[in-house]
Amino acid sequence: NAGVMQNPRHLVRRRGQEARLRCSPMKGHSHVYWYRQLPEEGLKFMVYLQKENIIDESGMPKERFSAEFPKEGPSILRIQQVVRGDSAAYFCASSPSGDWGGYEQYFGPGTRLTVT
Amino acid sequence: ILNVEQSPQSLHVQEGDSTNFTCSFPSSNFYALHWYRWETAKSPEALFVMTLNGDEKKKGRISATLNTKEGYSYLYIKGSQPEDSATYLCAFSSSNTGKLIFGQGTTLQVKP
């Protein structure tokens, strides 16, 4: 059973470009979380999605960031017009259920975004 | 603002020592408390999920306790081994969406 897959593992973008980060959850999991780790900081929640629905986006920056989890295919975190402050490690996690946090979340290896 | 505090920030012990770390979280609106183990260049690995006051969980030499009334959890490692060297994260859920709020972690270094 493959774990959570993220690609690319490393992504370099120039300021103003778009970044697309992909996450394939574990087989059988339909709940996906995105977290961000800025340099010298801890993991911070960004967004929680179920298939075709955004359930909680309270941690997403208001502008330039969007996320989706289509019926088919991976979850995508999209950052438009990247700035240097977006440089971070972005982690995706999946779980079999999203209710009340009582289920383990399985993490992917992360995508390290560098904005030059 | 919900804050999760972990102490100590880092810890160096000798192989064979037993050690413990603390995680403090808000005692109101509690849903679950998670412990993760995070080795360098790897993904965070789930150790325990605890939901009930007084919960105790054990996996090999690692165990954890939970006190939701006073808002703390302890992680214990008995007879530390060099392979236990990692950052140990705790995360608190106060929401029925499963959103986790992470502490900064305790970094453990076990010397052979």
Side-chain angles (χ1 to χ4, degrees):
Chain A
N1 187 10
V4 178
M5 311 286 283
Q6 288 189 250
N7 67 80
R9 295 290 304 275
H10 300 274
L11 183 62
V12 179
R13 284 286 177 266
R14 289 203 178 98
R15 275 181 301 170
Q17 290 185 319
E18 179 180 285
R20 278 183 178 243
L21 288 61
R22 292 174 196 78
C23 168
S24 296
M26 281 182 74
K27 190 175 179 182
H29 288 188
S30 58
H31 299 256
V32 165
Y33 302 82
W34 285 93
Y35 295 88
R36 177 167 69 169
Q37 185 186 31
L38 291 166
E40 308 301 322
E41 293 190 18
L43 287 168
K44 296 279 195 300
F45 169 81
M46 297 182 77
V47 62
Y48 160 46
L49 309 105
Q50 294 178 22
K51 287 278 186 182
E52 300 184 279
N53 281 309
I54 296 174
I55 306 302
D56 183 343
E57 56 181 346
S58 56
M60 286 279 268
K62 299 290 180 221
E63 295 175 351
R64 303 186 296 107
F65 285 71
S66 62
E68 62 176 10
F69 189 15
K71 191 176 177 183
E72 302 290 338
S75 175
I76 307 280
L77 180 68
R78 184 175 172 219
I79 312 171
Q80 295 179 287
Q81 297 176 310
V82 295
V83 300
R84 287 219 173 100
D86 298 332
S87 296
Y90 292 83
F91 289 90
C92 164
S94 74
S95 73
S97 172
D99 296 342
W100 59 274
Y103 292 88
E104 288 180 356
Q105 293 183 17
Y106 295 82
F107 278 78
T111 293
R112 273 138 188 93
L113 172 66
T114 302
V115 179
T116 61
Chain B
I1 295 176
L2 297 172
N3 247 358
V4 177
E5 303 284 342
Q6 289 189 247
S7 63
Q9 194 171 7
S10 64
L11 198 52
H12 291 76
V13 301
Q14 289 294 134
E15 183 176 353
D17 287 351
S18 292
T19 186
N20 65 83
F21 326 131
T22 304
C23 172
S24 302
F25 53 87
S27 55
S28 59
N29 234 24
F30 175 86
Y31 278 82
L33 193 285
H34 295 231
W35 281 100
Y36 284 86
R37 182 170 177 274
W38 196 0
E39 287 183 74
T40 305
K42 293 189 178 178
S43 315
E45 173 198 351
L47 288 173
F48 305 114
V49 180
M50 295 187 287
T51 57
L52 298 174
N53 185 42
D55 251 356
E56 290 189 27
K57 298 249 174 149
K58 189 175 180 185
K59 189 183 283 190
R61 293 180 291 100
I62 305 177
S63 60
T65 61
L66 178 67
N67 183 324
T68 60
K69 291 190 190 316
E70 295 180 41
Y72 64 83
S73 175
Y74 294 136
L75 187 80
Y76 300 92
I77 302 179
K78 187 177 175 182
S80 303
Q81 299 296 309
E83 57 265 29
D84 295 329
S85 298
T87 295
Y88 291 83
L89 298 172
C90 76
F92 162 73
S93 172
S94 68
S95 156
N96 62 0
T97 68
K99 160 185 170 181
L100 293 180
I101 299 164
F102 280 86
Q104 292 286 93
T106 294
T107 299
L108 174 67
Q109 188 72 35
V110 182
K111 296 177 187 173

mmCIF file of all heavy atoms in Angstrom, chain A residues 11-43:
data_model
loop_
_atom_site.group_PDB
_atom_site.id
_atom_site.type_symbol
_atom_site.label_atom_id
_atom_site.label_comp_id
_atom_site.label_asym_id
_atom_site.label_seq_id
_atom_site.Cartn_x
_atom_site.Cartn_y
_atom_site.Cartn_z
ATOM 1 N N LEU A 11 10.855 22.232 -5.980
ATOM 2 C CA LEU A 11 10.327 23.094 -7.040
ATOM 3 C C LEU A 11 10.972 24.464 -6.898
ATOM 4 O O LEU A 11 10.934 25.055 -5.813
ATOM 5 C CB LEU A 11 8.808 23.188 -6.903
ATOM 6 C CG LEU A 11 8.043 23.989 -7.939
ATOM 7 C CD1 LEU A 11 8.228 23.384 -9.328
ATOM 8 C CD2 LEU A 11 6.566 24.032 -7.593
ATOM 9 N N VAL A 12 11.532 24.942 -7.985
ATOM 10 C CA VAL A 12 12.128 26.279 -7.984
ATOM 11 C C VAL A 12 11.311 27.142 -8.936
ATOM 12 O O VAL A 12 11.069 26.751 -10.085
ATOM 13 C CB VAL A 12 13.609 26.242 -8.429
ATOM 14 C CG1 VAL A 12 14.183 27.652 -8.432
ATOM 15 C CG2 VAL A 12 14.421 25.348 -7.506
ATOM 16 N N ARG A 13 10.888 28.288 -8.452
ATOM 17 C CA ARG A 13 10.114 29.218 -9.269
ATOM 18 C C ARG A 13 10.692 30.614 -9.109
ATOM 19 O O ARG A 13 11.194 30.980 -8.030
ATOM 20 C CB ARG A 13 8.641 29.231 -8.836
ATOM 21 C CG ARG A 13 7.850 28.029 -9.290
ATOM 22 C CD ARG A 13 7.565 28.107 -10.770
ATOM 23 N NE ARG A 13 6.861 26.953 -11.293
ATOM 24 C CZ ARG A 13 7.457 25.900 -11.837
ATOM 25 N NH1 ARG A 13 8.773 25.839 -11.896
ATOM 26 N NH2 ARG A 13 6.748 24.903 -12.311
ATOM 27 N N ARG A 14 10.598 31.391 -10.191
ATOM 28 C CA ARG A 14 10.990 32.808 -10.111
ATOM 29 C C ARG A 14 9.789 33.591 -9.587
ATOM 30 O O ARG A 14 8.624 33.177 -9.771
ATOM 31 C CB ARG A 14 11.384 33.320 -11.481
ATOM 32 C CG ARG A 14 12.685 32.768 -11.993
ATOM 33 C CD ARG A 14 13.291 33.697 -13.041
ATOM 34 N NE ARG A 14 14.567 33.154 -13.490
ATOM 35 C CZ ARG A 14 14.707 32.448 -14.601
ATOM 36 N NH1 ARG A 14 13.677 32.198 -15.373
ATOM 37 N NH2 ARG A 14 15.889 31.993 -14.945
ATOM 38 N N ARG A 15 10.069 34.710 -8.979
ATOM 39 C CA ARG A 15 8.993 35.580 -8.508
ATOM 40 C C ARG A 15 8.010 35.883 -9.638
ATOM 41 O O ARG A 15 8.412 36.176 -10.768
ATOM 42 C CB ARG A 15 9.567 36.905 -8.001
ATOM 43 C CG ARG A 15 10.029 36.864 -6.561
ATOM 44 C CD ARG A 15 10.567 38.210 -6.118
ATOM 45 N NE ARG A 15 11.685 38.623 -6.938
ATOM 46 C CZ ARG A 15 12.220 39.838 -6.896
ATOM 47 N NH1 ARG A 15 11.715 40.774 -6.117
ATOM 48 N NH2 ARG A 15 13.241 40.150 -7.653
ATOM 49 N N GLY A 16 6.724 35.785 -9.325
ATOM 50 C CA GLY A 16 5.703 36.069 -10.328
ATOM 51 C C GLY A 16 5.182 34.842 -11.065
ATOM 52 O O GLY A 16 4.123 34.897 -11.698
ATOM 53 N N GLN A 17 5.912 33.719 -10.985
ATOM 54 C CA GLN A 17 5.448 32.493 -11.654
ATOM 55 C C GLN A 17 4.412 31.788 -10.784
ATOM 56 O O GLN A 17 4.165 32.149 -9.637
ATOM 57 C CB GLN A 17 6.635 31.557 -11.924
ATOM 58 C CG GLN A 17 7.568 32.079 -12.988
ATOM 59 C CD GLN A 17 8.667 31.078 -13.318
ATOM 60 O OE1 GLN A 17 9.237 30.424 -12.438
ATOM 61 N NE2 GLN A 17 8.972 30.953 -14.610
ATOM 62 N N GLU A 18 3.846 30.735 -11.355
ATOM 63 C CA GLU A 18 2.875 29.933 -10.617
ATOM 64 C C GLU A 18 3.534 28.639 -10.145
ATOM 65 O O GLU A 18 4.387 28.085 -10.836
ATOM 66 C CB GLU A 18 1.695 29.589 -11.535
ATOM 67 C CG GLU A 18 0.626 28.724 -10.859
ATOM 68 C CD GLU A 18 -0.536 28.409 -11.797
ATOM 69 O OE1 GLU A 18 -1.360 29.305 -12.042
ATOM 70 O OE2 GLU A 18 -0.622 27.247 -12.267
ATOM 71 N N ALA A 19 3.109 28.183 -8.973
ATOM 72 C CA ALA A 19 3.583 26.890 -8.455
ATOM 73 C C ALA A 19 2.381 25.971 -8.272
ATOM 74 O O ALA A 19 1.348 26.396 -7.740
ATOM 75 C CB ALA A 19 4.299 27.084 -7.122
ATOM 76 N N ARG A 20 2.533 24.742 -8.746
ATOM 77 C CA ARG A 20 1.483 23.725 -8.577
ATOM 78 C C ARG A 20 2.078 22.539 -7.846
ATOM 79 O O ARG A 20 3.020 21.921 -8.324
ATOM 80 C CB ARG A 20 0.950 23.268 -9.933
ATOM 81 C CG ARG A 20 -0.076 24.184 -10.507
ATOM 82 C CD ARG A 20 -0.618 23.647 -11.814
ATOM 83 N NE ARG A 20 -1.649 24.540 -12.297
ATOM 84 C CZ ARG A 20 -2.923 24.207 -12.457
ATOM 85 N NH1 ARG A 20 -3.305 22.969 -12.213
ATOM 86 N NH2 ARG A 20 -3.799 25.078 -12.874
ATOM 87 N N LEU A 21 1.500 22.213 -6.697
ATOM 88 C CA LEU A 21 1.991 21.121 -5.875
ATOM 89 C C LEU A 21 0.902 20.049 -5.850
ATOM 90 O O LEU A 21 -0.279 20.360 -5.635
ATOM 91 C CB LEU A 21 2.264 21.607 -4.443
ATOM 92 C CG LEU A 21 3.476 22.515 -4.205
ATOM 93 C CD1 LEU A 21 3.402 23.825 -4.961
ATOM 94 C CD2 LEU A 21 3.618 22.784 -2.728
ATOM 95 N N ARG A 22 1.347 18.803 -6.057
ATOM 96 C CA ARG A 22 0.378 17.714 -6.146
ATOM 97 C C ARG A 22 0.490 16.758 -4.982
ATOM 98 O O ARG A 22 1.582 16.514 -4.470
ATOM 99 C CB ARG A 22 0.590 16.930 -7.448
ATOM 100 C CG ARG A 22 0.244 17.709 -8.686
ATOM 101 C CD ARG A 22 0.602 16.930 -9.948
ATOM 102 N NE ARG A 22 0.620 17.799 -11.102
ATOM 103 C CZ ARG A 22 1.615 18.622 -11.403
ATOM 104 N NH1 ARG A 22 2.694 18.676 -10.647
ATOM 105 N NH2 ARG A 22 1.541 19.387 -12.470
ATOM 106 N N CYS A 23 -0.647 16.202 -4.604
ATOM 107 C CA CYS A 23 -0.688 15.246 -3.499
ATOM 108 C C CYS A 23 -1.653 14.130 -3.834
ATOM 109 O O CYS A 23 -2.845 14.378 -4.089
ATOM 110 C CB CYS A 23 -1.133 15.951 -2.226
ATOM 111 S SG CYS A 23 -1.547 14.820 -0.873
ATOM 112 N N SER A 24 -1.152 12.895 -3.821
ATOM 113 C CA SER A 24 -2.030 11.727 -3.978
ATOM 114 C C SER A 24 -2.156 11.061 -2.624
ATOM 115 O O SER A 24 -1.154 10.614 -2.054
ATOM 116 C CB SER A 24 -1.435 10.756 -5.001
ATOM 117 O OG SER A 24 -1.374 11.359 -6.269
ATOM 118 N N PRO A 25 -3.360 10.999 -2.062
ATOM 119 C CA PRO A 25 -3.516 10.419 -0.728
ATOM 120 C C PRO A 25 -3.312 8.913 -0.752
ATOM 121 O O PRO A 25 -3.233 8.296 -1.817
ATOM 122 C CB PRO A 25 -4.965 10.765 -0.372
ATOM 123 C CG PRO A 25 -5.662 10.907 -1.688
ATOM 124 C CD PRO A 25 -4.632 11.445 -2.640
ATOM 125 N N MET A 26 -3.245 8.339 0.425
ATOM 126 C CA MET A 26 -3.156 6.878 0.544
ATOM 127 C C MET A 26 -4.416 6.264 -0.039
ATOM 128 O O MET A 26 -5.494 6.869 0.004
ATOM 129 C CB MET A 26 -3.022 6.474 2.001
ATOM 130 C CG MET A 26 -1.631 6.641 2.557
ATOM 131 S SD MET A 26 -1.503 6.087 4.259
ATOM 132 C CE MET A 26 -1.552 4.317 4.038
ATOM 133 N N LYS A 27 -4.290 5.055 -0.529
ATOM 134 C CA LYS A 27 -5.427 4.351 -1.110
ATOM 135 C C LYS A 27 -6.519 4.229 -0.058
ATOM 136 O O LYS A 27 -6.266 3.847 1.092
ATOM 137 C CB LYS A 27 -4.976 2.967 -1.577
ATOM 138 C CG LYS A 27 -6.005 2.244 -2.407
ATOM 139 C CD LYS A 27 -5.441 0.930 -2.924
ATOM 140 C CE LYS A 27 -6.494 0.196 -3.749
ATOM 141 N NZ LYS A 27 -5.991 -1.107 -4.236
ATOM 142 N N GLY A 28 -7.726 4.586 -0.451
ATOM 143 C CA GLY A 28 -8.852 4.471 0.470
ATOM 144 C C GLY A 28 -9.092 5.718 1.308
ATOM 145 O O GLY A 28 -10.088 5.801 2.033
ATOM 146 N N HIS A 29 -8.183 6.692 1.220
ATOM 147 C CA HIS A 29 -8.368 7.929 1.980
ATOM 148 C C HIS A 29 -8.996 8.989 1.082
ATOM 149 O O HIS A 29 -8.520 9.234 -0.024
ATOM 150 C CB HIS A 29 -7.006 8.458 2.480
ATOM 151 C CG HIS A 29 -6.422 7.666 3.577
ATOM 152 N ND1 HIS A 29 -5.299 8.068 4.268
ATOM 153 C CD2 HIS A 29 -6.778 6.471 4.126
ATOM 154 C CE1 HIS A 29 -5.003 7.180 5.188
ATOM 155 N NE2 HIS A 29 -5.876 6.191 5.122
ATOM 156 N N SER A 30 -10.030 9.635 1.604
ATOM 157 C CA SER A 30 -10.677 10.678 0.810
ATOM 158 C C SER A 30 -10.599 12.038 1.488
ATOM 159 O O SER A 30 -11.326 12.960 1.122
ATOM 160 C CB SER A 30 -12.136 10.292 0.554
ATOM 161 O OG SER A 30 -12.810 10.108 1.789
ATOM 162 N N HIS A 31 -9.737 12.146 2.503
ATOM 163 C CA HIS A 31 -9.596 13.399 3.241
ATOM 164 C C HIS A 31 -8.142 13.846 3.150
ATOM 165 O O HIS A 31 -7.236 13.072 3.456
ATOM 166 C CB HIS A 31 -9.983 13.208 4.709
ATOM 167 C CG HIS A 31 -11.408 12.769 4.887
ATOM 168 N ND1 HIS A 31 -12.399 13.624 5.303
ATOM 169 C CD2 HIS A 31 -11.992 11.576 4.673
ATOM 170 C CE1 HIS A 31 -13.544 12.956 5.347
ATOM 171 N NE2 HIS A 31 -13.332 11.718 4.973
ATOM 172 N N VAL A 32 -7.938 15.067 2.725
ATOM 173 C CA VAL A 32 -6.586 15.587 2.491
ATOM 174 C C VAL A 32 -6.393 16.899 3.248
ATOM 175 O O VAL A 32 -7.281 17.761 3.266
ATOM 176 C CB VAL A 32 -6.353 15.803 0.977
ATOM 177 C CG1 VAL A 32 -5.133 16.677 0.737
ATOM 178 C CG2 VAL A 32 -6.165 14.466 0.272
ATOM 179 N N TYR A 33 -5.238 17.020 3.869
ATOM 180 C CA TYR A 33 -4.856 18.247 4.582
ATOM 181 C C TYR A 33 -3.558 18.769 3.979
ATOM 182 O O TYR A 33 -2.671 17.988 3.651
ATOM 183 C CB TYR A 33 -4.600 17.955 6.069
ATOM 184 C CG TYR A 33 -5.776 17.353 6.801
ATOM 185 C CD1 TYR A 33 -6.047 15.994 6.722
ATOM 186 C CD2 TYR A 33 -6.604 18.145 7.582
ATOM 187 C CE1 TYR A 33 -7.124 15.438 7.396
ATOM 188 C CE2 TYR A 33 -7.684 17.598 8.261
ATOM 189 C CZ TYR A 33 -7.937 16.248 8.159
ATOM 190 O OH TYR A 33 -9.005 15.708 8.825
ATOM 191 N N TRP A 34 -3.443 20.072 3.893
ATOM 192 C CA TRP A 34 -2.192 20.700 3.495
ATOM 193 C C TRP A 34 -1.654 21.516 4.675
ATOM 194 O O TRP A 34 -2.407 22.267 5.315
ATOM 195 C CB TRP A 34 -2.387 21.626 2.294
ATOM 196 C CG TRP A 34 -2.568 20.913 0.990
ATOM 197 C CD1 TRP A 34 -3.739 20.540 0.402
ATOM 198 C CD2 TRP A 34 -1.535 20.505 0.086
ATOM 199 N NE1 TRP A 34 -3.500 19.927 -0.804
ATOM 200 C CE2 TRP A 34 -2.160 19.897 -1.027
ATOM 201 C CE3 TRP A 34 -0.127 20.599 0.091
ATOM 202 C CZ2 TRP A 34 -1.447 19.384 -2.107
ATOM 203 C CZ3 TRP A 34 0.576 20.094 -0.982
ATOM 204 C CH2 TRP A 34 -0.075 19.487 -2.064
ATOM 205 N N TYR A 35 -0.337 21.363 4.909
ATOM 206 C CA TYR A 35 0.354 22.115 5.955
ATOM 207 C C TYR A 35 1.577 22.771 5.339
ATOM 208 O O TYR A 35 2.147 22.270 4.379
ATOM 209 C CB TYR A 35 0.810 21.188 7.097
ATOM 210 C CG TYR A 35 -0.319 20.533 7.861
ATOM 211 C CD1 TYR A 35 -0.851 19.315 7.438
ATOM 212 C CD2 TYR A 35 -0.836 21.124 9.010
ATOM 213 C CE1 TYR A 35 -1.891 18.718 8.141
ATOM 214 C CE2 TYR A 35 -1.874 20.520 9.722
ATOM 215 C CZ TYR A 35 -2.390 19.320 9.279
ATOM 216 O OH TYR A 35 -3.419 18.729 9.978
ATOM 217 N N ARG A 36 1.993 23.863 5.937
ATOM 218 C CA ARG A 36 3.181 24.577 5.438
ATOM 219 C C ARG A 36 4.175 24.742 6.586
ATOM 220 O O ARG A 36 3.780 25.030 7.724
ATOM 221 C CB ARG A 36 2.763 25.949 4.895
ATOM 222 C CG ARG A 36 3.914 26.801 4.427
ATOM 223 C CD ARG A 36 3.466 27.994 3.623
ATOM 224 N NE ARG A 36 2.766 29.012 4.372
ATOM 225 C CZ ARG A 36 2.475 30.214 3.891
ATOM 226 N NH1 ARG A 36 2.822 30.530 2.649
ATOM 227 N NH2 ARG A 36 1.825 31.094 4.622
ATOM 228 N N GLN A 37 5.451 24.582 6.264
ATOM 229 C CA GLN A 37 6.505 24.835 7.235
ATOM 230 C C GLN A 37 7.397 25.912 6.672
ATOM 231 O O GLN A 37 8.212 25.645 5.771
ATOM 232 C CB GLN A 37 7.300 23.573 7.536
ATOM 233 C CG GLN A 37 8.327 23.792 8.640
ATOM 234 C CD GLN A 37 9.213 22.596 8.850
ATOM 235 O OE1 GLN A 37 9.508 21.851 7.926
ATOM 236 N NE2 GLN A 37 9.665 22.415 10.083
ATOM 237 N N LEU A 38 7.246 27.126 7.189
ATOM 238 C CA LEU A 38 8.146 28.207 6.804
ATOM 239 C C LEU A 38 9.492 27.998 7.501
ATOM 240 O O LEU A 38 9.558 27.315 8.527
ATOM 241 C CB LEU A 38 7.536 29.557 7.204
ATOM 242 C CG LEU A 38 6.286 29.967 6.410
ATOM 243 C CD1 LEU A 38 5.568 31.120 7.083
ATOM 244 C CD2 LEU A 38 6.655 30.329 4.985
ATOM 245 N N PRO A 39 10.568 28.580 6.951
ATOM 246 C CA PRO A 39 11.895 28.426 7.572
ATOM 247 C C PRO A 39 11.867 28.794 9.056
ATOM 248 O O PRO A 39 11.294 29.825 9.429
ATOM 249 C CB PRO A 39 12.768 29.397 6.768
ATOM 250 C CG PRO A 39 12.097 29.489 5.439
ATOM 251 C CD PRO A 39 10.628 29.374 5.702
ATOM 252 N N GLU A 40 12.442 27.954 9.875
ATOM 253 C CA GLU A 40 12.553 28.177 11.329
ATOM 254 C C GLU A 40 11.199 28.176 12.043
ATOM 255 O O GLU A 40 11.107 28.644 13.180
ATOM 256 C CB GLU A 40 13.271 29.502 11.638
ATOM 257 C CG GLU A 40 14.608 29.681 10.943
ATOM 258 C CD GLU A 40 15.602 28.592 11.275
ATOM 259 O OE1 GLU A 40 15.643 28.137 12.439
ATOM 260 O OE2 GLU A 40 16.333 28.142 10.366
ATOM 261 N N GLU A 41 10.173 27.682 11.402
ATOM 262 C CA GLU A 41 8.862 27.622 12.055
ATOM 263 C C GLU A 41 8.320 26.202 12.053
ATOM 264 O O GLU A 41 8.859 25.313 11.402
ATOM 265 C CB GLU A 41 7.875 28.559 11.343
ATOM 266 C CG GLU A 41 8.220 30.029 11.488
ATOM 267 C CD GLU A 41 7.109 30.931 10.995
ATOM 268 O OE1 GLU A 41 5.964 30.469 10.855
ATOM 269 O OE2 GLU A 41 7.401 32.106 10.736
ATOM 270 N N GLY A 42 7.244 25.988 12.800
ATOM 271 C CA GLY A 42 6.609 24.668 12.844
ATOM 272 C C GLY A 42 5.614 24.497 11.724
ATOM 273 O O GLY A 42 5.411 25.365 10.887
ATOM 274 N N LEU A 43 4.992 23.321 11.712
ATOM 275 C CA LEU A 43 3.964 23.027 10.717
ATOM 276 C C LEU A 43 2.705 23.836 11.010
ATOM 277 O O LEU A 43 2.222 23.853 12.135
ATOM 278 C CB LEU A 43 3.602 21.544 10.753
ATOM 279 C CG LEU A 43 4.621 20.569 10.171
ATOM 280 C CD1 LEU A 43 4.262 19.145 10.549
ATOM 281 C CD2 LEU A 43 4.685 20.713 8.664
#
